[in-house]
Amino acid sequence: MATKNIMIVGVGGQGSLLASKLLGHLLLTRGYDVKVSEVHGMSQRGGSVVTYVRYGEKVYSPVIDEGEADCIVSFELLEAARWMRFAKKDGVIVTNTQTIDPMPVITGAAEYPSQLVEKMTDKGIKVDAMDALTLAEEAGSAKAVNLVLLGRLSNYFDDIPADAWQEAIAACVPEKFLELNKKAFALGRG
Amino acid sequence: MKELMLGNKAVARGLYEAGCEFISSYPGTPSTEITEEAVKYDEITCEWAPNEKVAMEAAFGASLAGRRSFTGMKHVGLNVAADPLYTMSYTGVNAGMVIGVADDAGMHSSQNEQDSRHHAIAAKVPMLEPSDSAEAREFAMAAFELSEEFDTPVLLKMCTRVAHSQSVVEPGVREEHRKEYQKDIAKYVMMPGNAIRRHPIVEERTSKLACYAEDCPFNRVEMGGKEIGVIADSTSYQYVKEVFGDTVSILKLGLVNPLPEQLIKDFAAQVDTLYVVEELDPIIENHVRSLGLPVKGKDVLPICGEFSQNLVAKALGGEAHSGIALDDAIPPRPPVMCAGCPHRGLFFTLKKLGCTVLGDIGCYTLGAVAPLGAMEMTLCMGASISSLHGFNKALGAESENKTVAVIGDSTFMHSGMTGLANVAYNQSNSTVIILDNSITGMTGHQQNPTTGYNIKGDPAGKINLEALCEAFGFKNIRVIDPYNLEECENVIKEELAKNEPSVIISRRPCALLKYVKHNPPIAVSRDKCRSCKSCMKIGCPAISMKKLDGDEKEKAHIDATLCVGCGVCEQLCPFDAFTEGGKA
């Protein structure tokens, strides 16, 4: 099979590292070669962050380039728009509709663009938008946005059964938060 | 069992399996996790040193004593440790010694984009360069063998994409490798009479290593299509494979110093067009040219920045991908100081007072960005204090009463202390502000000699900053709380006005530290807020101007999930619209 590419994007501090860890673990147990590339350090301080997850028979490059992502999972709406050009033309963007103003918007130096979901859809990209924050709060914590989005993402993996996702969650999440995260995942999966 | 492992974790695994017993490092992105992962193995004694030079010398001592040792640092850290490195090349080692150095092409978290391979060449020590996590583990282990076989420290070069990417690793078991310490004055005392005899040994070793490079397990040829031949190292190899698979031939180099000659000539002879694909400087390319071979490299590929598969595809005539962008301008999202960051109040005050601020390396470098824009110089670790001294000596009264240096607690211990000694000794009228947030923040919360804890979080020696400054001879040592704007302003004014040097310690732990107790979020009274935007001057990510139901115009709004109740904004509001949580 050709290598598949998933990007996880968001704002530093939103919990994307757990999402990529879980995804990487799951894909490895399914017998794939896997590479996951993360950003640490300076960019994590509330900046735009991106994680690349690639899997297939044999994966070489650790990064995903423009026009290559089968799926982009975005924790924040503006970040979905920022990274959209990395999606394949027939790729899908799973995005949270939550917005977090970047500093240039806070200071008034720039405006947060309006109607981003519609504009992305108009460009011919499939956009699967959801209010992950509300579902995460329903599951018990605003911090569970990552598992809600992974739940929605799981719908796009025909080859991975639901129980494999459950096992991966159990393997990567501390026991104390397991039920909360399982609930968040289930709400996201719908 | 196969495991998905971060490149840095794989290095730590390799160190463990190779019997490494001592690690001393200074944190620096993207190298930090090597030591943080290694500390999880009880068989290895791990430490954070005050700086890279101390770390390297400590590791050298352990090697001399007969225990395999390691020191890890980022590319610029190797500059700090260059002094011991260049002479350790002469002494060689007893037990194997490996130096991990992580470059940061693309400058994700660095002040420059230097290529560490230059240090390997100049210091005349071998350098191994893995291209994924499996190689990171294997090369870390092999580096000890090389070190002992050739009697030399060995550099293990990482880059951001190898250090911070996870790929599949199959761990093995640990083997112990110890040596006895043996007194050998001619080998280990590098005074002229001995060093003169050691230098030819270094040259001979380099010749032997160059022969070894011709047929070593780190360099390999993968023959494919013969129209294009590519010599590549590190992730560049991965990008070439990604784009071209086996339609091109590749000479993959894992030992990047010294470089082979015959291996390259033989490879070049088999292909029509030869390329070198390497990030940063044209080191392999220049070597290939010195062999008289026609080659393409930096004429088609950039010297600046990171590579990617599309970039390599475009340069070598492969298939590049493209995507679709929105027509709207997407506002950038630069990193910012966190909500509740203790540095914010201090920088606000320095800006208010119109100070010229010479800065240093750490989270607080973000004091230079809008809306604070309150830092005018950042060079390297420790440079704030030494530069302030020179600045004030050059301008005298013109600058002394309005110019300050700001430096974090960890950076101060790293190389700020010596600059402060210079201020004390050569007596400039300088005002130095130590931003003591009780942790090394930028690299992700590492302990340092001022925090009282070691790398494991156990109690350790704790250096008292006030006592240290006093011992340097400073008469003016003030401690302030950066959450208290009035105190900050008064003390900074007073110390700048004095005609003698001062140290101000701005003390408040990093808001992200787990033990820090936060106040409830601040609330804004919509009735009292008059949209003056005074609160927007501090660039707090928790504060924005929003129009809520019933508002005629935008008013200050606080994101309660981000706000930690530091109260700095409350002190700025002329209309008392901000109140501590629960009182609104």
Side-chain angles (χ1 to χ4, degrees):
Chain A
M1 66 171 270
T3 299
K4 292 271 187 194
N5 299 320
I6 301 163
M7 283 168 70
I8 303 168
V9 304
V11 179
Q14 275 193 302
S16 62
L17 285 184
L18 174 66
S20 62
K21 181 183 168 190
L22 203 153
L23 207 48
H25 174 89
L26 171 68
L27 293 164
L28 189 69
T29 59
R30 303 298 292 172
Y32 294 113
D33 186 23
V34 183
K35 280 190 179 169
V36 178
S37 193
E38 305 160 354
V39 173
H40 301 217
M42 175 73 101
S43 327
Q44 279 184 303
R45 300 281 173 269
S48 171
V49 293
V50 55
T51 304
Y52 306 106
V53 180
R54 311 192 69 220
Y55 68 102
E57 273 166 42
K58 173 71 188 166
V59 180
Y60 290 105
S61 170
V63 300
I64 296 168
D65 220 327
E66 280 189 36
E68 293 186 342
D70 295 278
C71 187
I72 297 176
V73 183
S74 182
F75 285 49
E76 197 273 347
L77 192 55
L78 184 68
E79 295 310 307
R82 183 188 317 284
W83 295 96
M84 186 183 97
R85 68 180 204 281
F86 280 71
K88 282 181 179 167
K89 292 182 178 77
D90 60 351
V92 59
I93 296 176
V94 173
T95 184
N96 188 0
T97 50
Q98 185 189 356
T99 62
I100 300 173
D101 288 346
M103 195 48 70
V105 171
I106 290 177
T107 60
E111 267 190 42
Y112 197 107
S114 61
Q115 299 187 304
L116 285 172
V117 173
E118 292 79 359
K119 284 173 184 168
M120 289 191 283
T121 309
D122 287 347
K123 287 286 179 184
I125 298 281
K126 183 180 176 189
V127 180
D128 186 354
M130 70 188 303
D131 181 356
L133 183 60
T134 300
L135 290 179
E137 281 165 352
E138 192 180 315
S141 167
K143 286 182 179 167
V145 159
N146 48 11
L147 267 290
V148 173
L149 287 165
L150 273 184
R152 181 63 69 104
L153 173 74
S154 71
N155 293 323
Y156 295 90
F157 289 78
D158 301 334
D159 51 335
I160 300 177
D163 57 347
W165 286 93
Q166 295 296 338
E167 281 166 26
I169 295 169
C172 297
V173 172
E175 180 70 36
K176 202 163 73 169
F177 304 111
L178 190 56
E179 280 318 306
L180 164 76
N181 280 292
K182 280 189 165 178
K183 195 174 172 194
F185 181 86
L187 285 171
R189 194 170 162 97
Chain B
M1 202 184 92
K2 281 184 182 174
E3 202 180 315
L4 204 54
M5 232 184 238
L6 199 67
N8 280 345
K9 187 178 177 181
V11 171
R13 181 71 206 181
L15 298 174
Y16 165 76
E17 289 178 32
C20 181
E21 292 190 55
F22 181 78
I23 295 178
S24 179
S25 302
Y26 185 79
T29 313
S31 71
T32 312
E33 300 82 6
I34 301 175
T35 305
E36 288 183 322
E37 290 293 336
V39 78
K40 295 173 185 169
Y41 299 110
D42 289 339
E43 293 88 341
I44 310 177
T45 301
C46 289
E47 295 176 354
W48 290 129
N51 69 28
E52 295 86 354
K53 174 172 146 59
V54 173
M56 188 176 288
E57 291 158 351
F60 173 74
S63 157
L64 186 66
R67 301 293 179 265
R68 285 189 166 184
S69 68
F70 175 84
T71 178
M73 59 202 67
K74 66 185 293 172
H75 58 330
V76 285
L78 191 56
N79 303 339
V80 178
D83 198 5
L85 173 67
Y86 282 54
T87 305
M88 275 160 44
S89 174
Y90 280 37
T91 62
V93 300
N94 181 21
M97 176 169 165
V98 178
I99 299 152
V101 56
D103 284 13
D104 190 18
M107 291 181 273
H108 296 274
S109 206
S110 301
Q111 68 269 40
N112 78 21
E113 207 171 21
Q114 70 185 49
D115 190 325
S116 295
R117 293 177 298 172
H118 292 294
H119 273 305
I121 296 166
K124 305 181 181 193
V125 297
M127 177 180 261
L128 293 172
E129 190 173 18
S131 70
D132 61 15
S133 297
E135 282 189 351
R137 170 185 160 271
E138 287 162 24
F139 286 17
M141 295 171 70
F144 282 110
E145 300 293 327
L146 266 190
S147 173
E148 287 171 8
E149 185 183 342
F150 289 92
D151 190 11
T152 175
V154 173
L155 285 158
L156 179 70
K157 178 178 174 264
M158 303 290 281
C159 67
T160 299
R161 291 300 173 191
V162 176
H164 287 165
S165 291
Q166 301 177 48
S167 57
V168 181
V169 172
E170 204 158 354
V173 294
R174 178 178 167 95
E175 278 182 29
E176 303 295 335
H177 292 271
R178 288 186 166 185
K179 297 207 170 182
E180 290 296 313
Y181 170 68
Q182 282 180 331
K183 179 177 173 180
D184 189 345
I185 291 172
K187 185 170 188 284
Y188 293 120
V189 181
M190 284 302 95
M191 56 187 181
N194 291 339
I196 283 167
R197 289 184 195 91
R198 292 298 300 179
H199 188 186
I201 294 172
V202 172
E203 298 304 325
E204 196 185 323
R205 180 182 73 207
T206 300
S207 299
K208 282 183 187 163
L209 277 160
C211 289
Y212 174 78
E214 300 290 353
D215 186 25
C216 71
F218 312 106
N219 300 335
R220 67 167 186 266
V221 173
E222 296 175 9
M223 287 310 290
K226 292 184 176 177
E227 275 178 39
I228 292 177
V230 181
I231 304 176
D233 61 347
S234 188
T235 45
S236 297
Y237 162 80
Q238 306 288 3
Y239 300 138
V240 172
K241 286 296 277 188
E242 183 72 37
V243 176
F244 294 103
D246 55 7
T247 63
V248 300
S249 294
I250 302 178
L251 168 55
K252 180 190 181 297
L253 296 177
L255 179 61
V256 293
N257 186 60
L259 292 165
E261 291 188 8
Q262 197 58 45
L263 183 64
I264 289 172
K265 284 179 183 168
D266 292 346
F267 178 71
Q270 294 182 73
V271 298
D272 299 338
T273 307
L274 183 65
Y275 287 89
V276 171
V277 181
E278 60 188 322
E279 283 181 338
L280 303 177
D281 294 338
I283 290 172
I284 301 171
E285 181 185 341
N286 288 345
H287 173 75
V288 173
R289 285 191 199 285
S290 77
L291 301 176
L293 299 168
V295 61
K296 289 178 188 286
K298 295 299 172 187
D299 45 346
V300 293
L301 287 152
I303 283 184
C304 306
E306 263 191 317
F307 288 0
S308 68
Q309 48 265 39
N310 272 350
L311 182 143
V312 169
K314 282 174 194 161
L316 272 66
E319 187 201 346
H321 302 104
S322 62
I324 305 164
L326 285 188
D327 304 323
D328 292 63
I330 306 292
R333 191 185 298 275
V336 292
M337 283 182 196
C338 307
C341 176
H343 303 323
R344 179 173 286 107
L346 187 91
F347 279 110
F348 172 79
T349 306
L350 291 172
K351 187 182 184 185
K352 186 180 173 191
L353 296 176
C355 290
T356 300
V357 180
L358 306 186
D360 226 295
I361 307 282
C363 290
Y364 49 90
T365 313
L366 292 169
V369 302
L372 288 165
M375 186 185 286
E376 301 177 34
M377 191 280 304
T378 300
L379 184 66
C380 64
M381 296 285 283
S384 58
I385 302 177
S386 356
S387 301
L388 174 67
H389 174 80
F391 200 86
N392 283 338
K393 283 283 180 175
L395 296 180
E398 204 184 309
S399 70
E400 287 167 359
N401 297 330
K402 60 174 187 185
T403 311
V404 300
V406 295
I407 183 167
D409 49 329
S410 187
T411 308
F412 178 72
M413 294 312 298
H414 178 283
S415 47
M417 278 193 295
T418 39
L420 196 68
N422 191 39
V423 170
Y425 172 53
N426 285 309
Q427 286 288 302
S428 59
N429 178 16
S430 293
T431 301
V432 172
I433 304 176
I434 302 175
L435 307 173
D436 180 8
N437 67 348
S438 310
I439 203 73
T440 313
M442 183 85 271
T443 43
H445 286 178
Q446 289 75 30
Q447 303 294 342
N448 70 55
T450 68
T451 65
Y453 297 94
N454 65 20
I455 189 172
K456 289 190 165 182
D458 296 330
K462 180 175 164 67
I463 290 172
N464 180 316
L465 286 174
E466 291 94 312
L468 185 135
C469 296
E470 207 179 315
F472 274 18
F474 284 86
K475 290 188 211 123
N476 308 303
I477 304 162
R478 307 285 295 273
V479 179
I480 55 174
D481 176 359
Y483 277 1
N484 184 337
L485 295 181
E486 193 183 344
E487 180 186 53
C488 280
E489 185 171 336
N490 291 339
V491 170
I492 292 169
K493 272 187 188 165
E494 283 165 26
E495 295 310 315
L496 279 169
K498 287 178 184 166
N499 281 321
E500 47 188 8
S502 310
V503 175
I504 300 169
I505 301 168
S506 173
R507 180 168 286 149
R508 170 67 73 166
C510 171
L512 298 183
L513 281 167
K514 285 204 175 105
Y515 68 77
V516 171
K517 296 254 184 302
H518 293 150
N519 294 322
I522 304 279
V524 185
S525 157
R526 312 294 296 176
D527 297 335
K528 289 184 182 171
C529 176
R530 301 205 196 158
S531 311
C532 74
K533 296 189 180 176
S534 294
C535 54
M536 298 300 287
K537 291 178 188 162
I538 48 172
C540 177
I543 310 175
S544 56
M545 299 299 289
K546 273 198 166 63
K547 216 187 248 185
L548 298 186
D549 296 342
D551 289 337
E552 274 177 31
K553 50 184 178 179
E554 290 185 329
K555 293 188 172 183
H557 175 263
I558 288 186
D559 182 338
T561 62
L562 290 175
C563 178
V564 298
C566 76
V568 170
C569 55
E570 199 181 341
Q571 298 168 59
L572 294 175
C573 180
F575 307 108
D576 291 327
F578 290 75
T579 44
E580 281 161 27
K583 290 191 221 157

